[in-house]
Amino acid sequence: MGIGRTIERKEKEIKHVIQSEAKDLVQSTWVLSRFFTTLRSVMNDNIFSTSMTRGQRNNNPLNIRHSADQWQGARKEQTDQSFVQFETMAYGYRAAWKVLESYWKHFKRQRQPFTVAHIIARWAPPSENHTDAYVSTVLKLTSLGGKENLPRPFMGIAIDKLVRLFAAMTTMECGIPYEKVDVQAILD
């Protein structure tokens, strides 16, 4: 009986390790998928001479997709079929703040918390992204709590949290590190 329990315990430990490794593998696969998607985009756009990402070229750091919205600062000629192109990075961040503001209103009406996980699940839905890996990375980059309720955008209290959130999301969307000072400078 003692040996049977020992074997069961070891079996559970091994299963736990395998599940943990599988989760890491899924996250790594997602990151590689994002890399190759970006690489394909660069190759398709014939821009081998530049090191800028699509979000940078479009001045759209959070990759806002085309919609019925008429964004202030949008370029007159939109050559990217998927994402809005802005005149400046500041206009791209302004649009992202507007989207975040609409999310806050939506969550408030639905009486849902306004957390990093809720925001990203809507911003980068599982149908298009590995949302859990996105959330995990943003939480690590921002030092925000996973269940921490964030303040309404543009409210002076804890604006730093939202700037950190945008810097981390820009890092995820553009694939290159952004610091909160970069975001803050554009928003000032």
Side-chain angles (χ1 to χ4, degrees):
M1 190 92 167
I3 293 176
R5 286 188 182 168
T6 302
I7 291 172
E8 277 182 28
R9 190 169 23 95
K10 289 293 181 188
E11 207 172 56
K12 284 181 184 179
E13 288 175 17
I14 291 170
K15 282 181 183 178
H16 176 74
V17 168
I18 290 171
Q19 287 172 341
S20 176
E21 292 295 323
K23 184 178 179 183
D24 289 345
L25 180 61
V26 167
Q27 289 181 353
S28 297
T29 303
W30 178 76
V31 169
L32 281 173
S33 171
R34 294 278 299 207
F35 169 76
F36 285 114
T37 299
T38 302
L39 182 60
R40 260 188 247 105
S41 170
V42 168
M43 291 170 64
N44 289 340
D45 290 346
N46 292 320
I47 57 156
F48 295 108
S49 62
T50 181
S51 62
M52 292 174 64
T53 65
R54 189 178 198 177
Q56 290 173 310
R57 288 190 316 275
N58 290 342
N59 288 316
N60 185 351
L62 291 164
N63 290 324
I64 297 170
R65 292 191 177 276
H66 287 292
S67 66
D69 294 312
Q70 298 297 311
W71 294 110
Q72 183 179 342
R75 291 183 193 159
K76 301 260 186 266
E77 185 179 342
Q78 295 286 316
T79 57
D80 188 311
Q81 298 300 311
S82 299
F83 299 102
V84 180
Q85 294 171 300
F86 293 97
E87 294 292 334
T88 66
M89 195 66 84
Y91 280 124
Y93 276 116
R94 180 192 178 282
W97 279 102
K98 292 292 186 182
V99 172
L100 193 65
E101 178 79 9
S102 74
Y103 285 10
W104 184 85
K105 289 175 184 174
H106 169 81
F107 289 132
K108 185 175 179 182
R109 277 193 307 274
Q110 300 296 318
R111 296 185 191 328
Q112 294 177 333
F114 191 58
T115 65
V116 169
H118 283 94
I119 292 166
I120 292 173
R122 191 165 168 153
W123 195 283
S127 60
E128 299 175 11
N129 299 278
H130 192 306
T131 306
D132 291 338
Y134 194 131
V135 169
S136 175
T137 301
V138 167
L139 290 174
K140 285 177 191 168
L141 292 173
T142 61
S143 301
L144 294 171
K147 297 183 186 211
E148 183 177 349
N149 214 4
L150 298 174
R152 180 179 183 174
F154 294 116
M155 298 303 283
I157 303 167
I159 193 87
D160 177 66
K161 290 179 182 182
L162 297 174
V163 170
R164 284 187 284 151
L165 174 66
F166 267 37
M169 288 176 70
T170 300
T171 298
M172 290 299 297
E173 294 290 334
C174 287
I176 57 172
Y178 268 75
E179 298 293 328
K180 76 175 198 172
V181 291
D182 298 330
V183 178
Q184 186 68 52
I186 290 169
L187 296 174
D188 283 343

